[in-house]
Amino acid sequence: MRIIATKNYDEMSRAAASLIAAQVLQKPDSVLGLATGSSPIGAYKKLIQWYQAGALDFSACSTLNLDEYVGLTPDNDQSYAYFMRQNLFDHINIKPENLNIPDGTNPDAAGECARYDRVIEAFGGADLQLLGIGRNGHIGFNEPGSVFVRGTNCVQLTQSTIDANKRFFAREEDVPRKAYTMGIGGIMMARRVVLVACGEDKAEAVAKTVSGPITPEVPASILQLHRDFVLIADEAALSQLEK
Ligand code: F6R
């Protein structure tokens, strides 16, 4: 594990974007595993700037997004497909046919999870998987539980996640209760995992991820076993780490 300590969100974002840019420069047909949420937005902004400056070419890249809410269509402005277009895809030269994200409109959960696993396996996993972390230690939407779930799965979101995400919706009742998420096996298959975390409210989850027991009660703790895991976090998110 490598920990990159940064002063603030902007520095964290620049460091994450630099790793992604280096990945694309070294391997133009990289498979990029991507996340939504507030943590990666700054990194996406930097990638867009560098693309617009002519420094990056995404035309041969493919993407594998972590998750999607069940029941939301891609044109729903709360869907993760919409988020990705708004915050990254519409601003770079990535090809629409190379974008992969679970299909939240597919009511057949088992069928959709199996389809997405076939996509992940066909790529042999992502070259670089970008992650955020939930306050409860979730990665993707793999919520704390009694087992690490290997494959893509349909999850019931916990109250902690619903509370954290309700800021994006008009009312709490509007937050979908279920999501499709890449499983822990799909995440661990990535050649490199980069987790970005910022702010005090992530400090406990970050400390447990780095030095707590490896347990499905803190899904991110399994990253201790990944051979190329990079944590990029600001001072507040690192504040509960043992000195
Ligand atoms: C998003 C995702 C989630 C978020 C996590 C942190 O695709 O899979 O695990 O990364 O909930 O969200 P933010 O960054 O909004 O604090």
Side-chain angles (χ1 to χ4, degrees):
M1 178 189 326
R2 193 149 55 94
I3 300 179
I4 300 177
T6 64
K7 275 210 269 307
N8 50 35
Y9 182 83
D10 197 50
E11 251 189 31
M12 174 194 83
S13 301
R14 174 175 283 276
S18 298
L19 290 185
I20 298 169
Q23 173 65 48
V24 173
L25 289 171
Q26 281 175 73
K27 185 171 181 252
D29 60 346
S30 285
V31 180
L32 302 175
L34 300 174
T36 63
S38 44
S39 308
I41 290 181
Y44 295 155
K45 283 203 175 114
K46 294 267 184 280
L47 291 174
I48 293 167
Q49 277 169 18
W50 295 338
Y51 165 72
Q52 286 171 345
L56 283 175
D57 175 9
F58 293 93
S59 61
C61 288
S62 301
T63 64
L64 273 176
N65 256 87
L66 281 170
D67 41 20
E68 179 60 284
Y69 286 120
V70 173
L72 299 192
T73 56
D75 57 355
N76 183 309
D77 63 3
Q78 295 305 330
S79 75
Y80 285 173
Y82 188 95
F83 174 102
M84 289 308 302
R85 289 201 306 277
Q86 286 274 101
N87 289 289
L88 184 64
F89 299 154
D90 281 354
H91 312 284
I92 60 175
N93 66 338
I94 191 120
K95 296 192 174 126
E97 62 270 30
N98 290 348
L99 306 177
N100 297 284
I101 184 161
D103 177 3
T105 65
N106 187 347
D108 170 14
E112 179 54 22
C113 294
R115 180 196 72 80
Y116 204 60
D117 278 340
R118 286 195 297 275
V119 173
I120 298 168
E121 269 151 35
F123 283 125
D127 288 298
L128 182 154
Q129 176 67 56
L130 182 63
L131 296 177
I133 185 169
R135 290 183 289 195
N136 60 6
H138 73 216
I139 46 177
F141 271 134
N142 295 282
E143 298 282 26
S146 51
V147 288
F148 288 114
V149 180
R150 200 184 75 82
T152 300
N153 57 103
C154 180
V155 288
Q156 197 75 41
L157 302 184
T158 62
Q159 194 57 44
S160 147
T161 301
I162 292 166
D163 287 346
N165 290 359
K166 68 184 178 203
R167 65 192 193 274
F168 300 115
F169 293 82
R171 298 168 312 162
E172 192 203 298
E173 302 90 88
D174 298 335
V175 184
R177 264 42 188 178
K178 284 186 182 172
Y180 293 133
T181 182
M182 188 187 289
I184 295 293
I187 293 171
M188 292 296 277
M189 211 190 276
R191 254 76 67 208
R192 166 173 275 187
V193 175
V194 176
L195 190 153
V196 282
C198 177
E200 179 84 59
D201 60 337
K202 300 292 175 70
E204 188 184 345
V206 166
K208 287 180 173 168
T209 297
V210 170
S211 51
I214 297 168
T215 164
E217 276 157 31
V218 183
S221 63
I222 200 164
L223 297 170
Q224 291 175 34
L225 300 177
H226 195 280
R227 60 188 143 70
D228 190 357
F229 168 41
V230 185
L231 168 67
I232 307 176
D234 76 338
E235 281 164 5
L238 293 171
S239 61
Q240 289 187 30
L241 244 54
E242 283 160 29
K243 297 270 157 25

